[in-house]
Amino acid sequence: MRTYFRLGAGLAAAVLVLGGCGIAQRHSANGVPSRTEAVVHTGPGGGSDVFARQVVKMLQGDKLIDANWPVRNETAGSGIGAMSYLKSRRGREDTVAAVTPTWIVTPLTLDGAAVSISDVRPIAGLLVEPQVMAVRADSKYGTAADFIADAHARPDTLVQVGGSITATDSLTGQALQARTQSKWSFLTFADSGQRIAALLRGDAQMMIGSTGDFSEQVRAGAIRVVGAVGDKRLPALPDVPTLAEEGVPSQGLPEEFRGFVGPPDMPAQTVTYYQELLRRLTSQPDWQKYAAEDGDVTRFLDAGQFRDYLGQQQASLKKLVDQLGLASH
């Protein structure tokens, strides 16, 4: 099932009441839980689901953990369900969650949201995924500026495919429209594979995503990357110009980050345990290979640094949400 959204329109979301309490609390020694559950806000195949499973696989492969961390998909409300579940596990040691900017943005767009990023316990920031604009290989658009110019000339004709309406790709597209007085529609799918398929079928003419989303299809010659979002060219795509180089106003566009948080009141020694576990992971060859292949930038932030970073991102994204008219009133 696919759904079209008119960008710039008001956002509605349903918050579902969560039932059940998940896995039982296990005893821990010195803050080290005997079992850990990893929560994500996407369904199977979604960005956070894939990321969390890759992290667990690398932790196991590098012998940093000796037990499996089951991944729990709490998909309600574009992050609201996952945050609510995490909040319900206040003080627990056996639950972590993979966090992205959606966790910040969604509550800003809802009246009376019962949760926010301030309700969770930061553990560590791990990486930033540089965003790029891509088209089908046979597209007439040679640059991102070409696509935007056509959208300006033919309002509401072109389509961008992406994730949820509050995800980074959607916000970036909305911001670009507002800055260039252009209009296009947004086609949403739950996972990147469905989005790529929609782009290849011609259901959409453009997609914004991470370099890793497109690497396989770029190598196969099916997709072309036409612009890097940001002010610096990417090491993984050195020949692709930035949007700024193409004359597209791109200052202050949202940044796609990934990290882990815990429930409120998670014990300090448990936060330190997970923090150091993830710090060790980011120094392993497997992690470095994973990040390089996807074109990601490792940016490890400890719990205190990640808390400050999330606060800065909340302020920046609130400003953008206000400018786009998406804020709750």
Side-chain angles (χ1 to χ4, degrees):
M1 178 74 61
R2 63 191 187 189
T3 307
Y4 284 95
F5 288 94
R6 182 62 50 88
L7 292 181
L11 174 68
V15 180
L16 302 183
V17 177
L18 299 173
C21 58
I23 62 175
Q25 174 82 2
R26 299 297 183 93
H27 294 296
S28 66
N30 299 319
V32 179
S34 59
R35 180 181 179 182
T36 298
E37 177 183 52
V39 181
V40 299
H41 73 276
T42 63
S48 286
D49 178 79
V50 172
F51 173 70
R53 294 179 191 278
Q54 284 288 342
V55 167
V56 174
K57 181 179 178 181
M58 286 185 283
L59 286 170
Q60 292 174 317
D62 290 326
K63 310 283 192 239
L64 298 176
I65 61 174
D66 57 11
N68 186 42
W69 290 8
V71 174
R72 182 184 182 100
N73 303 93
E74 291 287 347
T75 61
S78 298
I80 295 295
M83 278 186 280
S84 298
Y85 178 75
L86 207 60
K87 189 175 179 179
S88 76
R89 298 174 76 78
R90 179 179 297 273
R92 302 276 296 224
E93 300 173 336
D94 57 359
T95 309
V96 297
V99 64
T100 72
T102 299
W103 286 48
I104 297 175
V105 175
T106 300
L108 296 175
T109 67
L110 299 175
D111 274 326
V115 289
S116 77
I117 196 67
S118 302
D119 292 320
V120 301
R121 185 78 183 265
I123 292 174
L126 299 187
L127 59 79
V128 172
E129 293 181 345
Q131 300 291 287
V132 297
M133 183 182 291
V135 298
R136 212 165 71 171
D138 60 358
S139 170
K140 66 180 180 179
Y141 306 119
T143 66
D146 290 342
F147 173 87
I148 292 171
D150 196 21
H152 179 77
R154 300 188 297 144
D156 298 324
T157 302
L158 304 181
V159 178
Q160 172 190 353
V161 65
S164 73
I165 200 69
T166 56
T168 299
D169 55 356
S170 172
L171 288 182
T172 298
Q174 293 181 68
L176 290 174
Q177 289 175 82
R179 296 176 184 188
T180 60
Q181 291 77 56
S182 55
K183 285 187 178 182
W184 61 78
S185 297
F186 190 73
L187 174 61
T188 177
F189 284 98
D191 66 72
S192 60
Q194 292 175 305
R195 297 168 211 158
I196 293 289
L199 185 63
L200 293 175
R201 282 196 306 268
D203 294 342
Q205 291 74 47
M206 182 270 284
M207 177 175 165
I208 294 172
S210 69
T211 54
D213 289 336
F214 306 112
S215 56
E216 182 178 335
Q217 296 297 335
V218 168
R219 285 193 295 268
I223 283 177
R224 284 188 292 111
V225 175
V226 294
V229 178
D231 56 4
K232 294 181 180 178
R233 291 200 180 197
L234 305 177
L237 297 167
D239 297 329
V240 175
T242 67
L243 267 60
E245 288 178 287
E246 296 181 16
V248 177
S250 54
Q251 194 74 14
L253 291 176
E255 181 173 73
E256 181 73 359
F257 63 83
R258 293 194 185 276
F260 280 88
V261 296
D265 298 333
M266 174 179 272
Q269 60 184 354
T270 307
V271 172
T272 299
Y273 161 72
Y274 286 123
Q275 170 192 283
E276 295 309 309
L277 189 66
L278 294 168
R279 187 198 300 274
R280 291 171 63 193
L281 174 65
T282 57
S283 69
Q284 300 296 316
D286 282 350
W287 172 271
Q288 293 162 4
K289 179 182 178 182
Y290 161 76
E293 288 180 347
D294 279 357
D296 298 334
V297 177
T298 299
R299 186 193 292 173
F300 182 84
L301 302 174
D302 65 25
Q305 293 169 328
F306 196 37
R307 180 188 61 245
D308 293 343
Y309 175 80
L310 290 174
Q312 294 162 4
Q313 288 294 305
Q314 188 172 33
S316 174
L317 289 167
K318 184 179 186 308
K319 182 177 179 181
L320 180 59
V321 166
D322 288 342
Q323 290 172 346
L324 295 174
L326 298 175
S328 60
H329 297 289

